[in-house]
Amino acid sequence: MTDKKTKFQTEKQIFSEHIQKSGLRHTAQRDLILEIFLRTEEHLTSEDLYWLVQKEDATVGHTTVYRTLKLLTEAGLAREVRFGDGKTYYEHHYNHAHHDHMICTECGQVIEFFSAEIEALQDLMANKFGFKPTHHSLRILGLCENCQKINTETAASGAQPRVRVKSVVVS
Amino acid sequence: MTDKKTKFQTEKQIFSEHIQKSGLRHTAQRDLILEIFLRTEEHLTSEDLYWLVQKEDATVGHTTVYRTLKLLTEAGLAREVRFGDGKTYYEHHYNHAHHDHMICTECGQVIEFFSAEIEALQDLMANKFGFKPTHHSLRILGLCENCQKINTETAASGAQPRVRVKSVVVS
DNA sequence: TTGATTGCAAAGCATTTGCATGCTA
DNA sequence: TAGCATGCAAATGCTTTGCAATCAA
C-alpha cells in the first residue's frame, strides 16, 4: 500500500491529465518533484523543496521546482499559502482536507483546523454582498500553548521550521 | 469639524504619545505622512503613499514613508494587510472598525465586512487548541457582483486600484 | 551639543524571465 | 523533427539597511 508504484496514484493521474490537457510534456523532473512534494508533510517554499529534490537528483534546478509548483497549483494538487513572512509556501491536499491555519508568531508552529460553521458563515457573508467566493484564507496569529508557558525565558527569535501539525478537524 | 486643526486629533495624539514613549522625535515629515495617510480611504503601499506625499512635499523620500508606516503600525494607527500579490498594503482605523476583506480577483475591488459570529467562532476554535490569538486575517477571494456580470466580455487584466469600499457592517 | 532622522544609494531576498541546450512525443 | 522543458544566469520588484548630512530637543 505504501510502495512507490501504488502511492499517490490519484494525484499522479490528475497531474498527467492536466499535462496532457494543456499540451505539455511528461518529464522525469516533474515526476520526481511531485513525488517528493506529496511525500513531505510540511509547508514548503520553492527553495525548501529544491533542497529536498537535490538530495535525490542534483541536476534539478531551482527554476524547474519553481515552475512545477506553479503547475501543480494549476492542476489543483498544490495550494499557495502565505504566512506573512514574505515567502510563498505550498501545501498539498494529500491527507489534508480543506483547512485554515493558526500560526504561532513565536515558534512558527502551524496548526491546521477546520470549522464547518465558519465556512458556512463566510458563504452567507459573501451572499449578502453578491460576491461569488472562489476560495478564502483564514489565518489566526498568536501564541501556541507551549510558547505561552515559556514566556519567562527570553523568547527565542522568530520564525522557525513551520512544522505542519497533523490536521485536527473540529467543527 | 473637518478643518486641519481639529481633524484626526485623537490619532495625532496617539502618535505623539508613542513617539515620546519611545524616545523618538517629532518631525514635519512624520506629521505630513500621517495626515495624508489618514486622509486617504484606500489601501496603500509604501510606494503609493510616497507619491501622494510627493505632491505636497517633494523633498520627502521613500525611506521615510516606509519607516513612518512601520512606526504607525507600532503605534497601532496602521495595519499591514496582504492581498496575495506580494505587496504590503496599509490601512488605518479612522472611520474603519475592525473588519475582514473580500477581494475581487478580477477588478481588485476590496469589500470590507465584519461578522461577530465569525469572530466568536474563531476564538472558540483557538481555545480548543490552547492557542492565544493576537490577531487574525480572513480574506475571501472571488468575483464581485459586477465582474460576475461582465464575464462575457474578455476579462480585463488583473489587479486594478484596490478601492477601499465603504465598510459595511453586517453581523 | 547630542543623538535621532532623513534620503540617497545600494544591498537583500524572493520571485520571475531570457535564452541556449536538451529532451519528449 | 518540432517545440516544450530545463537550468543557468541575470533581471525584476519590493523591502530593508549603511551612511553622511541634517535637524529636533
Side-chain angles (χ1 to χ4, degrees):
Chain A
M1 236 177 226
T2 49
D3 58 295
K4 230 162 177 178
K5 293 249 174 65
T6 56
K7 216 176 175 187
F8 309 133
Q9 268 313 119
T10 315
E11 286 73 17
K12 286 177 179 173
Q13 188 169 346
I14 291 173
F15 192 40
S16 283
E17 281 166 12
H18 179 77
I19 281 180
Q20 290 185 354
K21 231 185 309 182
S22 315
L24 305 176
R25 281 166 194 180
H26 207 239
T27 70
Q29 289 93 328
R30 286 177 176 168
D31 282 352
L32 180 63
I33 292 168
L34 173 57
E35 175 82 30
I36 298 179
F37 177 55
L38 291 176
R39 189 199 293 164
T40 308
E41 288 300 308
E42 269 159 51
H43 293 97
L44 297 167
T45 62
S46 180
E47 176 85 7
D48 294 336
L49 186 51
Y50 167 73
W51 288 112
L52 291 176
V53 171
Q54 274 290 304
K55 288 190 204 160
E56 308 195 19
D57 182 349
T59 71
V60 177
H62 275 98
T63 319
T64 304
V65 175
Y66 163 75
R67 284 194 271 229
T68 303
L69 279 171
K70 290 281 179 199
L71 207 52
L72 291 174
T73 304
E74 280 172 33
L77 291 168
R79 178 160 83 118
E80 295 189 345
V81 210
R82 320 220 183 206
F83 293 119
D85 62 356
K87 295 181 193 168
T88 304
Y89 292 82
Y90 290 84
E91 65 182 19
H92 56 75
H93 302 314
Y94 186 78
N95 267 340
H96 298 265
H98 169 71
H99 59 266
D100 293 304
H101 297 118
M102 290 181 210
I103 304 143
C104 179
T105 50
E106 196 54 47
C107 70
Q109 184 191 138
V110 176
I111 299 171
E112 300 180 346
F113 71 94
F114 176 81
S115 161
E117 283 98 330
I118 293 181
E119 303 283 319
L121 282 171
Q122 282 180 37
D123 287 343
L124 203 69
M125 214 56 191
N127 274 339
K128 288 186 182 169
F129 289 92
F131 193 87
K132 189 179 173 187
T134 53
H135 52 287
H136 69 264
S137 130
L138 169 58
R139 303 175 320 173
I140 302 179
L141 302 176
L143 291 178
C144 71
E145 199 156 23
N146 206 39
C147 288
Q148 287 172 54
K149 291 174 192 161
I150 51 176
N151 223 358
T152 30
E153 315 168 38
T154 307
S157 61
Q160 289 330 272
R162 299 237 172 266
V163 178
R164 185 173 189 176
V165 164
K166 186 92 198 79
S167 179
V168 185
V169 177
V170 189
S171 71
Chain B
M1 239 176 223
T2 49
D3 59 296
K4 229 158 177 179
K5 295 249 174 63
T6 55
K7 216 176 176 190
F8 309 134
Q9 268 313 119
T10 316
E11 287 74 17
K12 286 177 179 174
Q13 188 169 346
I14 291 174
F15 192 40
S16 282
E17 280 166 12
H18 178 78
I19 280 181
Q20 289 185 355
K21 230 185 308 180
S22 315
L24 305 176
R25 282 169 193 178
H26 208 240
T27 70
Q29 288 94 327
R30 287 178 175 166
D31 282 351
L32 180 62
I33 292 168
L34 173 58
E35 175 82 30
I36 297 180
F37 177 56
L38 292 176
R39 188 199 292 164
T40 308
E41 289 299 308
E42 268 158 51
H43 293 97
L44 297 167
T45 62
S46 180
E47 175 87 5
D48 294 337
L49 186 52
Y50 167 73
W51 288 112
L52 291 177
V53 172
Q54 274 290 304
K55 287 190 205 160
E56 308 196 17
D57 181 349
T59 72
V60 177
H62 275 98
T63 317
T64 304
V65 175
Y66 164 76
R67 284 195 271 229
T68 302
L69 279 171
K70 291 282 179 199
L71 205 53
L72 291 174
T73 304
E74 280 172 35
L77 291 168
R79 179 160 82 117
E80 296 190 345
V81 210
R82 321 222 181 203
F83 293 118
D85 61 356
K87 294 180 194 166
T88 304
Y89 292 82
Y90 290 84
E91 65 181 19
H92 56 75
H93 302 313
Y94 185 76
N95 266 340
H96 298 265
H98 169 71
H99 59 265
D100 293 304
H101 298 118
M102 292 182 209
I103 304 144
C104 179
T105 50
E106 197 54 48
C107 70
Q109 184 192 138
V110 177
I111 298 170
E112 299 180 347
F113 71 94
F114 176 81
S115 161
E117 283 97 332
I118 293 181
E119 303 285 318
L121 282 171
Q122 283 180 35
D123 287 343
L124 203 67
M125 214 58 191
N127 274 338
K128 289 187 183 171
F129 289 91
F131 193 87
K132 187 180 175 186
T134 52
H135 53 289
H136 69 263
S137 132
L138 168 58
R139 303 175 320 172
I140 302 179
L141 302 175
L143 292 178
C144 71
E145 198 156 23
N146 206 38
C147 288
Q148 288 172 54
K149 290 174 191 160
I150 50 175
N151 222 358
T152 31
E153 315 168 38
T154 307
S157 62
Q160 287 332 270
R162 298 237 172 267
V163 178
R164 185 172 190 178
V165 164
K166 186 93 196 77
S167 178
V168 185
V169 177
V170 189
S171 69

